[in-house]
Amino acid sequence: MLLRTRGISINIEEPVVGRITRNAGYTGDNSILICENGLPSSRIEKFACVLTNQESTDWQGDHPVVFKVPSFEHLNEGDLVVVSQDGNIKTLYRINSFHNTLLATERCNSNCLMCSQPPRDRNDTHRLYGIYEKMIPMIPKDCFELMISGGEPTLMGELFFQLLQLIKDQLPETEVHVLTNGRSFAWNNLAEKLSDLEYNRLMLGIPVYADYYQMHDYIVQAKDAFNQTILGIHNLARYDQRIEIRVVLHQQSIPRLTRLSRYIYKNMPFVEHITFMGLEYIGYTPYNIDKLWIDPHDYMDELGEAVEFLSGQGMNVSIYNSQLCVLPEALWKYAKKSISDWKQSYLPECERCNKLSDCGGLFTWNLKKHSEHIRPFA
Amino acid sequence: MAEADVITKNRKFKELGFYDNQENNVYFLLPMRFARLNQEKEVLVNEVGDHLVVREGTFQKIVQRELNKEDDPDLFGDLVANHFISESRIPPLIDVLATRYRTKKAFLNNFTMLHIFVMSLRCEHTCHYCQVSRVTQDKDKFDMSRDHIDKGIDMMLQSPSPHVTMEFQGGEALLAFDNIKYAVERVHLLAGLRNKSVTFVICTNLALVNEEILLYCKEHEILISSSLDGPAFIHNSNRTRPGRNSYELAIKGIELSKRILGPSRVSALMTTTNLSLDYPIEIVEEYYKQGFRNMFLRPISPYGFAVRNERKNKYETDRFLEFYKKALGRILEYNLAGEFFTEDYATIILRKMLTPFPVGYVDLNSPTGCITNVIAFNYDGSIFASDESRMLAEMKDFTFQLGHLDTHSYEEVFYSKRALEIVSTGINESLPGCSDCAFQPYCGADPIQNHATQGDMYGYRPTSSFCQKNMEIIRYLIELMDKDKAIAKIFESWVKSRS
């Protein structure tokens, strides 16, 4: 799935955020027109920007246009994009998807061995916030769910709270799922500040990878991260914030996994959801694969015990990023089709499988690295 | 967060050792206790009741600072993760530990919940172990008067607890069913004004139950707590009445109650007698046969025995423990065969052991459940610290009488010097023999039983049957879980909160 394309920009002085249309007669605000057969002779000024596959050779206008865009296939009527000065056209929101994510910042105070989206140390928060400030009011009000991820979103500082307030005001019916390492909430005032938003559609997804600080800190490559995260969760619970715990399954997290499940139940029984997630083969993971890889088939005992213990105590548990043929049947009821549409794939042999429609499949990038035990059900 | 914290110039991955916060192999002890389980194992228990079964000798190694992260990384990790030791003087997650402690003791938050009303001392049974009941027609003398019912309700509704339980006891409570109806209707009238929700329970042998009574119970959401001591030959021998048909009446009554009220609103309690002790398997199977999927192997009550004879008490307790283990074994067999069938006493202890939640059970609370959790209004208006204390009073021991409904206000009862004295002797955290006991978080304190069996409220642990019984049951439960993972799983399924 393509989420980015690029052409040659003219007259773009600041990023243009708008809604894609192919209808030259469209009259809404903030529209970005796609013209595949040459620029229209009139009404071009009604659009915030025009995108075309044509050459720019003889064009003389003073309106923002991007020429020579190689493909528009991935853009649907109503999608939201940002067009930058350099001609990049980035999809921000896809109208036909339930999996829309705002990247809050690329900065992070952790550096997880298996990070799927390695952080970058540059201050991008103001630039990104500027884009989202324009984009969020354009999102359809019936948007079911928005994910906010990073990097570490809370590193936006004050803007993090402003962003949530904006979403709450503009999209009161939308579920908001923030992926954060929770460390910032070790400072109680930030947990309190979050609760001041009185945002009951907000859920924080927070990773905990071990019950023992040293192992967790090693996995996230950050000293004191474990204690900060646990304190953060504790503070958030103090203010009745909704919390999800996310556990990524790999060679380092498996040995203490059943202990972790008991730790969660005993110390954080208030969390709303716990999810155990298969490893993504992207970002840092290929680099650290020797430290991380364990065939999922080989951790099913530990996973089964952890999941069934928590579920047995009445907690809400899921398994993400796992294929049905690798899971024992007793665990199928916990398996969710969790992989976002644009990054989900199947192996060639999966075509023959009669459980395909119930199976979450693989991350596209995991086609290169997956369990040796994937077998189609016949 | 400051910019400097965020900008990491070097994102090179580091090894596990880099994340070790320990300095010079130093570690600090958090509050914990230990006990020997058997010849190979011992159990460590922390202040909030988390336990860890370890090899014998481990505790000594820990306190003598011979534990080493490199030699024993898993154990070291377990001890840090489970709040047994800390690498810094003040553990970084001490707030979490504090919350957990507060949560464990939250059964104290609302103060007295259970209010026992002894509606009548009259009974048509003449059970040999019962010290209180009378076979008589004299209602005026042995039934609670309406005036006392009114006063008892007033006092109950002064409880700080938003939810109270009103338990109708006897004698045989159904002999005073008209008064029960009167009480229920009066509570309906007044509870709303006090913002209280009230659960009603009638404790009855069911001999006198009929459809009309049960339809009333259904209408007013009254629970039935009955008695079943085992198969007919045990039940009828324990519970004597004209016609020797107590068992038949109980079974009929249980069936009728379940049919009218629904199975979840009818429970049965077992009284263990000398005869019962020889038939653990038969008793369990009787409960199973009657459709119960839980039972309460109630510890033998010391009030019926020659209560101050140490040797005899020890012997009786040994026999009870043997009985308990056999009966529990049979219950576990049902579970291993795929049934869900729980034992209530084990479940109470296991909840304290395996869950982070508060468990309020009168006989295993610290501070003691009497007064803080239960109060009893006797048929004659006298007020007692618990159900057992009014039985002592029938043997002319009025130590635990806190006052009388005619003469004492709520404050005079609950804040009296006597109440304070009773409760302050019922705190196992500070009792000799309990304060350093590994099983303290799972156990309770029972000043009334101490007084009855040992002559003072503090008690003396080495010869205490309460101590002997609970120590062994707790040890046994831990040992079972440690030896057999399947049993550990069954126990975990028992403690799940079912709401």
Side-chain angles (χ1 to χ4, degrees):
Chain A
M1 170 71 66
L2 201 58
L3 293 174
R4 189 188 282 273
T5 183
R6 184 173 184 170
I8 295 163
S9 66
I10 291 179
N11 299 330
I12 298 180
E13 267 134 42
E14 57 177 51
V16 181
V17 179
R19 190 183 284 113
I20 290 292
T21 181
R22 286 180 166 82
N23 174 6
Y26 189 76
T27 53
D29 289 341
N30 303 308
S31 296
I32 295 179
L33 180 67
I34 292 177
C35 310
E36 299 196 64
N37 303 309
L39 297 182
S41 48
S42 65
R43 292 197 78 255
I44 187 169
E45 70 287 350
K46 304 276 186 204
F47 295 93
C49 181
V50 177
L51 313 177
T52 174
N53 51 357
Q54 306 287 303
E55 301 271 342
S56 66
T57 37
D58 53 351
W59 196 72
Q60 295 292 326
D62 54 4
H63 202 71
V65 180
V66 182
F67 292 95
K68 282 194 78 172
V69 180
S71 165
F72 297 113
E73 247 175 76
H74 63 289
L75 291 173
N76 285 309
E77 189 80 15
D79 280 358
L80 303 178
V81 300
V82 56
V83 183
S84 318
Q85 296 93 316
D86 59 6
N88 261 309
I89 302 156
K90 205 182 150 213
T91 303
L92 297 173
Y93 184 90
R94 290 179 308 128
I95 195 101
N96 293 326
S97 173
F98 284 113
H99 306 280
N100 280 294
T101 301
L102 309 191
L103 177 84
T105 171
E106 289 192 276
R107 303 200 303 179
C108 193
N109 51 353
S110 294
N111 199 42
C112 304
L113 293 174
M114 65 295 179
C115 181
S116 61
Q117 205 161 351
R120 287 206 250 181
D121 297 329
R122 60 178 186 197
N123 193 345
D124 52 8
T125 50
H126 287 275
R127 179 177 63 81
L128 289 172
Y129 185 80
I131 292 170
Y132 298 138
E133 205 178 13
K134 293 182 196 153
M135 165 223 182
I136 286 163
M138 299 181 201
I139 294 175
K141 304 299 177 199
D142 64 355
C143 168
F144 176 72
E145 185 182 48
L146 263 187
M147 184 93 95
I148 298 176
S149 100
E152 169 49 39
T154 60
L155 296 183
M156 293 176 84
E158 184 56 38
L159 292 178
F160 174 68
F161 298 98
Q162 282 183 32
L163 180 70
L164 291 176
Q165 183 68 56
L166 183 64
I167 297 173
K168 187 185 176 211
D169 293 342
Q170 293 290 330
L171 299 164
E173 306 283 308
T174 301
E175 304 293 331
V176 175
H177 206 103
V178 176
L179 300 186
T180 165
N181 59 37
R183 293 171 59 188
S184 298
F185 300 107
W187 285 269
N188 187 52
N189 60 325
L190 291 186
E192 189 178 7
K193 200 174 157 101
L194 189 72
S195 81
D196 287 343
L197 294 176
E198 296 183 9
Y199 200 172
N200 59 14
R201 290 191 187 269
L202 175 68
M203 167 104 113
L204 302 179
I206 301 177
V208 180
Y209 299 132
D211 63 330
Y212 176 43
Y213 83 88
Q214 192 176 341
M215 183 50 76
H216 177 94
D217 288 359
Y218 167 61
I219 292 170
V220 307
Q221 293 280 306
K223 277 218 172 220
D224 293 328
F226 177 79
N227 289 330
Q228 288 171 1
T229 293
I230 301 300
L231 269 185
I233 290 173
H234 187 249
N235 286 334
L236 290 164
R238 198 197 299 276
Y239 299 106
D240 281 331
Q241 298 301 292
R242 298 169 56 209
I243 300 161
E244 168 190 76
I245 289 184
R246 309 189 131 219
V247 185
V248 179
L249 303 164
H250 52 63
Q251 207 190 100
Q252 303 300 326
S253 61
I254 289 299
R256 295 194 71 95
L257 190 72
T258 59
R259 290 168 169 107
L260 173 60
S261 66
R262 285 171 168 77
Y263 185 87
I264 291 169
Y265 170 63
K266 288 211 157 183
N267 294 286
M268 300 171 271
F270 42 74
V271 300
E272 194 172 311
H273 183 215
I274 301 137
T275 173
F276 294 91
M277 315 197 300
L279 186 65
E280 289 190 55
Y281 193 68
I282 196 171
Y284 282 156
T285 304
Y287 180 82
N288 288 319
I289 195 67
D290 292 344
K291 293 181 184 119
L292 296 170
W293 182 249
I294 167 174
D295 191 305
H297 176 265
D298 298 332
Y299 62 59
M300 284 304 147
D301 286 350
E302 290 89 342
L303 178 63
E305 188 180 333
V307 165
E308 285 180 338
F309 169 76
L310 287 166
S311 171
Q313 295 313 319
M315 302 192 74
N316 178 20
V317 191
S318 301
I319 300 173
Y320 286 0
N321 316 342
S322 196
Q323 301 78 43
L324 293 181
C325 52
V326 183
L327 288 173
E329 209 172 324
L331 298 182
W332 284 8
K333 60 175 182 241
Y334 305 103
K336 301 283 151 58
K337 296 171 77 170
S338 54
I339 303 176
S340 309
D341 49 1
W342 61 274
K343 46 188 181 186
Q344 188 219 33
S345 296
Y346 295 99
L347 289 167
E349 57 259 46
C350 297
E351 299 301 325
R352 289 185 281 127
C353 179
N354 62 24
K355 297 262 187 297
L356 195 65
S357 59
D358 298 324
C359 182
L362 295 85
F363 284 105
T364 306
W365 35 83
N366 277 48
L367 295 175
K368 302 190 283 273
K369 188 78 186 172
H370 55 77
S371 172
E372 295 297 313
H373 295 79
I374 293 182
R375 303 273 183 280
F377 289 99
Chain B
M1 198 172 281
E3 195 81 349
D5 294 337
V6 175
I7 305 296
T8 321
K9 290 247 159 52
N10 182 357
R11 288 198 176 266
K12 195 166 175 268
F13 297 109
K14 299 180 187 68
E15 296 302 314
L16 181 63
F18 178 81
Y19 298 97
D20 182 1
N21 288 347
Q22 194 184 23
E23 287 171 17
N24 307 319
N25 286 329
V26 170
Y27 59 86
F28 299 87
L29 304 181
L30 297 177
M32 66 169 139
R33 301 172 184 83
F34 85 112
R36 187 155 290 131
L37 270 190
N38 47 46
Q39 291 195 319
E40 296 92 49
K41 300 280 186 75
E42 60 194 26
V43 61
L44 314 179
V45 183
N46 71 10
E47 196 70 357
V48 293
D50 294 342
H51 75 280
L52 210 54
V53 176
V54 291
R55 273 210 315 277
E56 201 265 326
T58 305
F59 185 77
Q60 184 170 353
K61 210 166 135 185
I62 295 169
V63 295
Q64 294 187 334
R65 302 301 197 279
E66 286 163 4
L67 187 70
N68 188 311
K69 190 185 277 198
E70 266 144 48
D71 299 344
D72 224 339
D74 282 351
L75 175 64
F76 198 94
D78 288 349
L79 292 169
V80 172
N82 290 293
H83 315 284
F84 285 94
I85 63 172
S86 166
E87 292 174 352
S88 52
R89 189 172 293 278
I90 305 291
L93 296 180
I94 194 166
D95 280 1
V96 175
L97 196 58
T99 300
R100 291 201 45 200
Y101 189 79
R102 197 164 64 235
T103 306
K104 274 283 175 194
K105 292 289 186 188
F107 61 84
L108 291 168
N109 289 2
N110 290 326
F111 207 54
T112 320
M113 207 169 90
L114 177 60
H115 294 75
I116 293 173
F117 285 68
V118 180
M119 298 307 283
S120 173
L121 219 50
R122 296 182 296 126
C123 189
E124 24 64 65
H125 273 63
T126 49
C127 307
H128 61 83
Y129 53 81
C130 177
Q131 303 93 48
V132 299
S133 299
R134 305 282 150 76
V135 178
T136 167
Q137 301 297 317
D138 191 348
K139 288 192 186 185
D140 293 341
K141 192 156 175 216
F142 294 110
D143 282 14
M144 186 182 268
S145 71
R146 296 217 167 169
D147 180 43
H148 287 150
I149 292 172
D150 291 353
K151 287 173 175 159
I153 289 170
D154 284 348
M155 195 170 280
M156 174 175 81
L157 295 178
Q158 286 182 66
S159 166
S161 177
H163 178 90
V164 294
T165 298
M166 185 176 198
E167 184 173 292
F168 300 110
Q169 281 258 20
E172 171 49 48
L174 289 184
L175 284 171
F177 188 62
D178 282 347
N179 278 352
I180 291 179
K181 288 204 280 192
Y182 170 80
V184 168
E185 275 145 44
R186 185 170 171 85
V187 169
H188 279 317
L189 213 62
L190 297 174
L193 302 173
R194 298 265 192 170
N195 270 329
K196 294 248 186 288
S197 73
V198 182
T199 301
F200 299 102
V201 184
I202 300 178
C203 297
T204 166
N205 58 41
L206 291 176
L208 301 173
V209 85
N210 58 37
E211 222 160 284
E212 187 195 333
I213 291 174
L214 289 168
L215 287 172
Y216 184 87
C217 291
K218 187 181 168 72
E219 186 191 340
H220 294 274
E221 297 184 341
I222 302 171
L223 299 167
I224 294 287
S225 171
S226 66
S227 299
L228 181 62
D229 288 354
F233 74 96
I234 298 173
H235 189 95
N236 283 337
S237 159
N238 283 354
R239 298 177 182 266
T240 37
R241 86 189 291 282
R244 285 192 62 86
N245 62 348
S246 178
Y247 173 83
E248 287 71 19
L249 292 173
I251 295 300
K252 230 176 94 188
I254 288 168
E255 276 168 8
L256 189 65
S257 309
K258 282 184 176 172
R259 184 156 61 72
I260 294 178
L261 303 178
S264 68
R265 306 191 67 80
V266 183
S267 63
L269 276 177
M270 185 198 73
T271 298
T272 316
T273 61
N274 266 317
L275 176 65
S276 321
L277 293 178
D278 291 329
Y279 300 100
I281 306 296
E282 290 80 356
I283 292 172
V284 171
E285 289 177 351
E286 175 69 23
Y287 268 77
Y288 183 84
K289 194 175 98 188
Q290 296 306 332
F292 288 105
R293 289 300 174 266
N294 74 303
M295 66 181 296
F296 200 153
L297 294 169
R298 263 203 310 180
I300 206 156
S301 151
Y303 303 95
F305 297 110
V307 290
R308 294 211 183 158
N309 183 330
E310 272 178 16
R311 255 187 48 226
K312 187 144 189 265
N313 283 347
K314 168 142 186 6
Y315 173 71
E316 299 291 355
T317 307
D318 281 341
R319 282 191 71 204
F320 172 76
L321 288 167
E322 199 188 322
F323 163 86
Y324 182 85
K325 289 177 189 177
K326 281 189 185 150
L328 183 66
R330 182 69 188 96
I331 292 172
L332 285 170
E333 277 174 27
Y334 282 117
N335 285 275
L336 290 165
E339 297 274 357
F340 182 77
F341 186 178
T342 66
E343 195 283 303
D344 293 348
Y345 199 68
T347 303
I348 290 161
I349 292 169
L350 290 165
R351 283 218 171 101
K352 291 172 167 235
M353 232 177 247
L354 302 176
T355 85
F357 303 116
V359 180
Y361 171 66
V362 175
D363 295 350
L364 285 178
N365 275 9
S366 175
T368 173
C370 60
I371 304 171
T372 66
N373 200 318
V374 62
I375 196 87
F377 303 128
N378 211 358
Y379 69 101
D380 59 359
S382 51
I383 303 170
F384 288 94
S386 71
D387 199 28
E388 289 75 18
S389 358
R390 60 125 178 166
M391 298 194 181
L392 281 181
E394 293 302 320
M395 300 189 275
K396 304 285 174 260
D397 178 345
F398 297 94
T399 313
F400 298 99
Q401 181 169 351
L402 298 173
H404 194 282
L405 286 169
D406 288 334
T407 49
H408 289 72
S409 70
Y410 182 91
E411 287 75 13
E412 285 166 335
V413 171
F414 287 92
Y415 305 153
S416 64
K417 224 180 135 191
R418 174 55 58 90
L420 184 66
E421 185 193 0
I422 296 168
V423 174
S424 62
T425 54
I427 298 171
N428 69 8
E429 282 86 346
S430 61
L431 285 175
C434 297
S435 66
D436 55 357
C437 175
F439 300 152
Q440 182 206 95
Y442 310 139
C443 199
D446 193 341
I448 300 168
Q449 190 169 329
N450 290 340
H451 170 86
T453 58
Q454 298 191 303
D456 70 68
M457 291 188 219
Y458 294 93
Y460 178 63
R461 249 50 67 196
T463 56
S464 154
S465 48
F466 178 89
C467 178
Q468 185 195 349
K469 176 192 73 199
N470 286 321
M471 289 279 291
E472 179 53 16
I473 291 179
I474 293 165
R475 187 204 66 79
Y476 185 63
L477 293 174
I478 297 174
E479 189 178 51
L480 282 178
M481 287 191 283
D482 183 55
K483 280 191 174 156
D484 190 338
K485 250 195 148 173
I487 293 181
K489 266 191 132 168
I490 290 166
F491 284 170
E492 280 171 354
S493 77
W494 288 6
V495 302
K496 178 184 174 182
S497 25
R498 270 155 243 278
S499 43

